[in-house]
Amino acid sequence: MSQFDYLQQQLANSVWAGKEILKVADVVNEGVAGGKEWYFSLPQIQFIMNTPVMGGIKGLLTASQDIGDTVQDCCLVFLETVNGVNRAYNSKAFTNLAGKGQQELSSLLPSTRQRLIYEASVSAYNESLNLPELSVKIATIEAEIRAIQSGGQPAEEQLNTWKTEAISRVEQLKAEILATIESLTGNPRRNARTRIRRAEAGRIAMTTGTIPNIIAHNPYTITSLYNHSISSIYRHPPVLNTALVPIAVGGAATITGAVGVLTSIASWLLSSFFLKSFNIPAVLLPALTNTVVSIVLKLSGSAGGAEAVRYFAASALKAGASLLPKIFGVTGMQASGWAYLMAWALPIIGAAVIITTAMRNRTDLAEFLYVFADIGEATPRKFNLSVAHMYDTNQVEILEQLKTLAKSLIERAVVPIESIIGVGLNSKREYIIGYDLMLPDNPVLIPKDEIQTRLGTDKVARITSGKFFFTD
């Protein structure tokens, strides 16, 4: 059970919080329902799984036993986040939204949680994702990345569809009020006329002009190193190809520091991978980036940081307000920010899942590894065994070590091997991870609650006792 299951109550009939104007894209509904299976079916994620250059990210995703929950949580928190951004965008209380966000960040008191989030973000950048190295390697496969992109025209069509539906609802409301207004008197009549004026103002705003060209295929040659100078409203901000240097635990390890690091990661993932083939006005790109960062912070346990960053996203939308579609509900609520970010749900959620998984990469790691290769037909089964002890590592290295041990057992086998299972225990001798390694290059993750059953009581007892050979 996830701590974000409560958000499920806000999602019903493809609308959020019961507000018809807040339409939820099909891709988000599918993500909530499908979790891991949906995420791994996405063309962008399949590309990661099948491209050696992206092997580091593939290792993170396949090694995580919580990837299904992470995907569903990202989808639900995405909806909560976009709603928060839209509300900030519509707010009349703050004229300087970015300043409000900075104020909220500055008001967060230093804590152990802040330090851990900062350290996890730096580790994700430098180690788990290794962006300094990956950003160089990915330049060799830019053509392939562009070939998998989709979403530009469908996103425009989705925005137009939502706008048409909103206009239809407003016109229907106006017709209903006009049909009954002559029978009203006093306050009911005045209230009805107020509703008509509000509906008419919304209808005029939505029907004046068309949605501007806010999404387009990229006509420029841009490498992942961003060395080219381009003059255009679509110019992407540079993403520096340099490693961040982790700092010692102290005053600098704050949520503000984490936001800086996470923004760099999110900007790179969006610009260099998920949105490589598309032009998004430079003024609006930070809205997507900060939405990703807000989701990651909420999943990492910083609700205050997540809320602060929503103001940054809203500030970017406000700066590009003339480029957004005008979409109003029958109550006068504007959903322009919601609709624009919803149109880019897939890349936002896709990046948030990768970053969240990378930040969790150093938590609850296996330290003691055992790979059992069953041989013969006796019960309990005889087995060959390889053992390893890991230090200061991560999930990717752990999986690679398990694969190496399995391959070694196969190479040395003098009798047929019936099955190979690799497991990892943490320093408390708790089972953390398990894989079916019969095909070492295609390991199959074993759910944590099934590991001991798959091993069998004899192997579990051997691990507990530390006695593995008949001479023990």
Side-chain angles (χ1 to χ4, degrees), residues 450-468:
E450 296 180 14
I451 293 175
Q452 295 189 58
T453 300
R454 290 286 298 273
L455 280 175
T457 55
D458 61 319
K459 295 186 181 69
V460 171
R462 292 291 189 96
I463 291 175
T464 301
S465 67
K467 297 181 178 180
F468 298 102

Side-chain angles (χ1 to χ4, degrees), residues 44 69 83 85 90 97 128 150 153 167 169 174 183 247 292 294 305 310 338 365 375 400 412-413 446:
Q44 293 87 346
D69 290 338
N83 184 44
V85 172
N90 293 332
L97 293 172
S128 301
S150 61
Q153 188 60 33
I167 292 172
R169 285 194 295 271
K174 182 180 176 182
S183 64
I247 64 171
V292 173
S294 180
R310 291 175 192 171
W338 170 277
L365 296 173
I375 56 176
E400 288 303 313
R412 301 198 317 263
I446 300 173

Side-chain angles (χ1 to χ4, degrees), residues 199-411:
E200 181 62 10
R203 185 192 67 79
I204 292 173
M206 288 189 285
T207 56
T208 301
T210 58
I211 294 178
N213 184 21
I214 52 177
I215 304 166
H217 280 275
N218 194 341
Y220 306 111
T221 300
I222 305 177
T223 74
S224 295
L225 301 180
Y226 293 92
N227 289 328
H228 297 271
S229 178
I230 301 167
S231 295
S232 166
I233 65 168
Y234 297 109
R235 182 179 178 182
H236 291 161
V239 180
L240 298 180
N241 182 39
T242 55
L244 296 180
V245 179
I247 64 171
V249 175
T254 63
I255 291 298
T256 300
V259 167
V261 179
L262 293 173
T263 299
S264 295
I265 300 174
S267 180
W268 188 89
L269 283 171
L270 291 177
S271 298
S272 295
F273 183 65
F274 284 102
L275 299 175
K276 184 66 176 176
S277 290
F278 298 104
N279 285 320
I280 295 178
V283 70
L284 288 174
L285 183 59
L288 277 65
T289 301
N290 283 299
T291 300
V292 173
V293 174
S294 180
I295 294 170
V296 172
L297 286 175
K298 184 65 179 284
L299 291 174
S300 300
S302 178
E307 184 172 350
V309 174
R310 291 175 192 171
Y311 286 102
F312 297 151
S315 178
L317 292 176
K318 187 71 73 174
S322 63
L323 299 171
L324 296 181
K326 304 299 187 292
I327 301 180
F328 291 85
V330 294
T331 62
M333 175 185 181
Q334 185 175 181
S336 300
W338 170 277
Y340 182 69
L341 293 175
M342 188 61 59
W344 292 113
L346 192 153
I348 290 172
I349 293 170
V353 169
I354 289 173
I355 297 172
T356 301
T357 304
M359 289 178 68
R360 293 172 174 172
N361 189 43
R362 298 186 67 84
T363 61
D364 206 17
L365 296 173
E367 184 174 334
F368 303 97
L369 307 184
Y370 304 91
V371 178
F372 296 91
D374 282 347
I375 56 176
E377 299 178 354
T379 303
R381 302 291 294 272
K382 294 182 179 179
F383 58 83
N384 292 331
L385 171 71
S386 282
V387 179
H389 193 183
M390 305 293 286
Y391 301 91
D392 189 25
T393 187
N394 56 55
Q395 291 179 347
V396 176
E397 292 175 352
I398 289 170
L399 177 56
E400 288 303 313
Q401 181 63 43
L402 288 170
K403 290 162 62 176
T404 298
L405 295 177
K407 290 177 182 178
S408 177
L409 287 174
I410 293 173
E411 291 171 357

Side-chain angles (χ1 to χ4, degrees), residues 166-181 192-193 195-201 203-204 330:
I167 292 172
S168 177
R169 285 194 295 271
V170 168
E171 290 178 337
Q172 181 182 356
L173 171 66
K174 182 180 176 182
E176 291 172 354
I177 296 175
L178 286 172
T180 59
I181 196 169
R193 289 188 178 279
R195 294 182 70 192
I196 284 182
R197 287 194 295 272
R198 183 183 298 147
E200 181 62 10
R203 185 192 67 79
I204 292 173
V330 294

